[in-house]
Each structure stands twice: as C-alpha cells, then as structure tokens.
C-alpha cells in the first residue's frame, strides 16, 4: 500500500509540473513580425512629421514618403489581426494538450505498470540478490540445449566438438562415439578429438582397447607424439594383449614423460609393476603408494584357489582403504581405491 501511495504522489507531482504551464493565462505571447513592423512604421511617421516641421524635407517629398509608410502600416495592421487569431488558437490548443496530459499521463502510467511491472513482487535487499556472474546453468540443462541445437542443425561441427567430451565424462559411451565421429567429420582433426574418440570406443568396449580405438590413438599421436591419453591407452592395449615387454617400455616412457602429479601416474606405475612382474623381474615401487607385486607375489597368487585369491585381493584393497583413512587428501589413492572396488 505504501508503494502505491508514493507512486501516486510522484505521478501527481510530475503531472502538475507538466500541465500547469499549459494553463497559465498571464503569459504574454511574443509579438509577431507584423506587430513589430507596425511599431516601426509608426515611429517612421513621427520622425517624418518632425523632419517636415524643421524643414529638413520638402513637403512634396514628405507627402510621397507618408503615403508609402501609411500603406505599409495598413498592411502590417491587417496582419496583426491574423497573429492574434493564431495566438488565441494556440491558447485553446495548449488547454486541450494540458487536459490530455493530465488524463493520459497518470492513467497510462498505472495501466502500463500493472501489465508490464510486478507490483506484487516483494522487496529484494541487495545482499540477497544474485550477483551478475551467478552460477551457470546445470550440466543437464546445457546438454539439453546443445542437443536441441544439434537436432535442428546436425552439421554443426562446433556443437559436436563441445558436447562430445561431456558425453565422455558422464560415461555415455555410445553418444560420445557418435559425437566425436561427427566432430572429426565436420571440423579439423586434432589429437584431443582423436584420442577422445579412442577413449569413447574403449568405454563402449568395456575397457578393452580394440582395433578401431588403437587406430584412433595412433592417428592422435601422428598429430601430437606426446599426447598422454593416446600413449596411455596404447600402452594399456599392449598389456591387455600380453605383450609385456612392449607394455613395460611403453609404461616406462609414459611415466618418464609425465609430471609426478599426473592423474594417470598411479595407474601407469601399477601397470608397469604388473608388466615387469609378468616378465619375471622385480616390480618397481609405486610412488606414493604400496609397492607393486613382485614375481614371487604373482607366483604365490597363481597357486592359490579362487577363494583364497579373492581374499588376498580384498586384503590388499582393505590395506589401501585403511591407509587412506590416515591420509584422506591422497587423491590418487582414492582413485586407485575406486578402481579397485
């Protein structure tokens, strides 16, 4: 209610300030050109009479001049009547305009605000308002929007390039494969896109690096010989195929070229330990975690029954979980634990 009272008061004040000058009757209209000319001609007649009395001008010349000035004065006097009529008409117009403003301004203001405004919206203190750089829409909303655009324009290579990594990260392997293939078809191939296609194929194949994924990773390395994801999955393919000598060299090369905090480091070290052990050598220690299994450990595990082997694996996983209880900030450790589970 207070809002409406304030709004009505302000509207009334603005209306009065706008309308009152239009209703003023004490405003003297500016003299028109005809009125000014008439004053000049009257002054000329007075000067002409004074000159005639002084003998400064001959009577016959004075008569001719008086006749011309009189003619002009009569014409100006006739035009004065026209100016007065226009002035009266302008006065009536100003009154009408004032009435229209007085009526339209407040009524139009309230009708417009009632339709376009939000009079029922409560106050929003500054502290509770969302900042200009507020949170972006959630991932599902963005994905839905991109999918809608791609449905309308399936040849949008940039759209496929944007959404493909999202599908990959959310585990939707089939959509990721389709998106990466379309991105590679419609845009310039890059190591990132080719490796993304290979990883999506690996996800779709349940973790196995098949021939198509292998080809995608090799194409990525042809564009960037040091692209880590491609080198990782090619080393993994060697391990999966039992080519442990090649796998050991590939894992060693990847570890040597990677920073110590690389997210794939823990898995690479474990895979190197496994390949080394399969070759009959002593597995190297895994940085930041327990040492990998030695050849003796592997031989002992192969001699156990399936139940005993499961118990041994569960024991190793439990040891890792217990260690993480005392070191909860070990991100790589948690990654290994999740994969172990």
């Amino acid at each position: 209610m207070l809002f409406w009272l304030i709004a009505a008061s302000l509207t009334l004040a603005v209306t009065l300030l706008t309308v009152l000058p239009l209703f003023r009757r004490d405003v003297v209209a500016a003299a028109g050109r005809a009125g000014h000319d008439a004053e000049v001609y009257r002054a000329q007649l007075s000067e002409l009479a004074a000159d005639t009395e002084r003998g400064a001008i001959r009577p016959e010349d004075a008569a001719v001049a008086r006749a011309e000035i009189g003619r002009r004065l009569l014409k100006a006097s006739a035009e004065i009547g026209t100016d007065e009529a226009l002035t009266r008409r302008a006065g009536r117009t100003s009154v009408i305009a004032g009435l229209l403003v007085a009526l339209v301004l407040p009524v139009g203001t309230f009708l417009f605000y009632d339709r376009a405004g939000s009079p029922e919206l409560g106050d929003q203190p500054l502290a509770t308002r969302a900042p200009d750089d507020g949170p972006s829409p959630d991932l599902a909303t963005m994905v839905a929007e991109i999918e809608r655009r791609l449905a309308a324009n399936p040849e949008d290579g940039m759209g496929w390039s944007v959404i493909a990594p999202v599908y990959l990260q959310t585990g939707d392997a089939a959509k990721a494969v389709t998106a990466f293939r379309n991105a590679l078809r419609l845009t310039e191939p890059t190591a990132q896109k080719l490796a993304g296609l290979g990883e999506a194929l690996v996800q779709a194949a349940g973790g196995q690096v098949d021939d198509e994924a292998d080809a995608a990773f090799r194409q990525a390395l042809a564009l960037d010989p040091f692209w880590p994801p491609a080198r990782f999955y090619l080393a993994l393919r060697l391990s999966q195929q039992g080519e442990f000598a090649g796998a050991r060299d590939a894992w060693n090369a990847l570890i040597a070229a990677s920073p110590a905090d690389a997210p794939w480091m823990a898995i690479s070290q474990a895979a190197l330990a496994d390949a080394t052990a399969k070759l009959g050598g002593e597995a190297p220690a895994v940085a930041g975690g327990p040492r990998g299994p030695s050849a003796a450990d592997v031989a002992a595990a192969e001699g156990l029954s399936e139940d005993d082997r499961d118990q041994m694996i569960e024991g190793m996983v439990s040891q890792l979980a217990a260690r993480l209880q005392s070191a909860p900030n070990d991100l790589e450790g948690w990654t290994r634990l999740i994969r172990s589970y």
Side-chain angles (χ1 to χ4, degrees):
M1 186 63 183
L2 179 61
F3 168 79
W4 288 111
L5 290 175
I6 295 174
S9 300
L10 292 175
T11 304
L12 178 61
V14 172
T15 303
L16 290 176
L17 291 174
T18 305
V19 171
L20 283 180
L22 300 176
F23 287 101
R24 290 179 60 184
R25 295 183 177 276
D26 57 341
V27 177
V28 178
R33 180 176 179 179
H36 175 73
D37 291 345
E39 292 294 331
V40 171
Y41 298 145
R42 290 191 186 98
Q44 288 177 350
L45 288 174
S46 298
E47 292 176 359
L48 180 62
D51 291 340
T52 302
E53 290 178 0
R54 291 197 311 270
I57 185 172
R58 292 183 304 175
E60 57 272 21
D61 293 335
V64 174
R66 188 180 299 108
E68 177 62 24
I69 294 174
R71 184 186 65 80
R72 294 181 181 181
L73 179 59
L74 290 174
K75 181 180 178 182
S77 298
E79 291 178 354
I80 290 176
T82 303
D83 289 346
E84 290 177 350
L86 291 175
T87 301
R88 289 192 297 271
R89 186 180 304 171
R92 291 194 297 271
T93 303
S94 65
V95 172
I96 296 174
L99 292 174
L100 288 176
V101 171
L103 178 63
V104 172
L105 182 61
V107 174
T109 299
F110 282 96
L111 287 178
F112 176 78
Y113 184 75
D114 183 63
R115 292 179 177 274
S118 300
E120 74 283 353
L121 185 64
D123 184 28
Q124 289 184 326
L126 183 61
T128 63
R129 298 177 190 175
D132 293 338
D133 55 348
S136 58
D138 59 89
L139 182 61
T141 302
M142 290 189 293
V143 170
E145 175 63 19
I146 297 175
E147 288 178 338
R148 183 186 66 79
R149 294 184 180 183
L150 289 174
N153 182 18
E155 299 301 305
D156 181 4
M158 182 59 66
W160 290 114
S161 299
V162 170
I163 202 171
V166 178
Y167 286 145
L168 185 63
Q169 294 298 323
T170 56
D172 198 335
K175 288 186 177 180
V177 170
T178 300
F180 274 116
R181 283 175 175 165
N182 285 328
L184 290 168
R185 176 175 59 85
L186 297 169
T187 62
E188 183 179 358
T190 63
Q192 184 177 6
K193 295 174 189 175
L194 287 164
L197 172 60
E199 189 171 352
L201 291 168
V202 171
Q203 283 190 8
Q208 294 296 314
V209 184
D210 57 19
D211 293 340
E212 188 178 2
D214 179 88
F217 291 129
R218 293 187 184 279
Q219 291 176 30
L221 289 182
L223 296 177
D224 185 350
F226 301 100
W227 191 253
R231 298 177 67 180
F232 176 90
Y233 282 103
L234 288 176
L236 179 61
R237 177 175 171 84
L238 293 173
S239 292
Q240 291 176 346
Q241 292 182 333
E243 300 179 16
F244 299 116
R248 179 189 59 192
D249 295 340
W251 291 120
N252 262 324
L254 178 60
I255 292 171
S258 301
D261 58 349
W264 58 83
M265 184 64 75
I267 301 175
S268 300
Q269 290 172 333
L272 173 60
D274 179 70
T276 303
K278 293 291 176 50
L279 292 171
E282 185 71 16
V286 177
R291 179 180 63 84
S294 64
D297 295 331
V298 175
E302 290 177 350
L304 297 175
S305 65
E306 183 176 353
D307 291 340
D308 292 338
R309 211 165 29 242
D310 290 341
Q311 291 180 5
M312 184 183 74
I313 294 173
E314 291 175 1
M316 295 175 66
V317 173
S318 298
Q319 290 178 5
L320 177 58
R323 185 177 66 80
L324 290 174
Q325 294 298 324
S326 59
N329 294 326
D330 184 359
L331 179 60
E332 293 184 5
W334 286 108
T335 302
R336 290 198 301 272
L337 181 62
I338 292 172
R339 292 183 180 275
S340 298
Y341 282 139

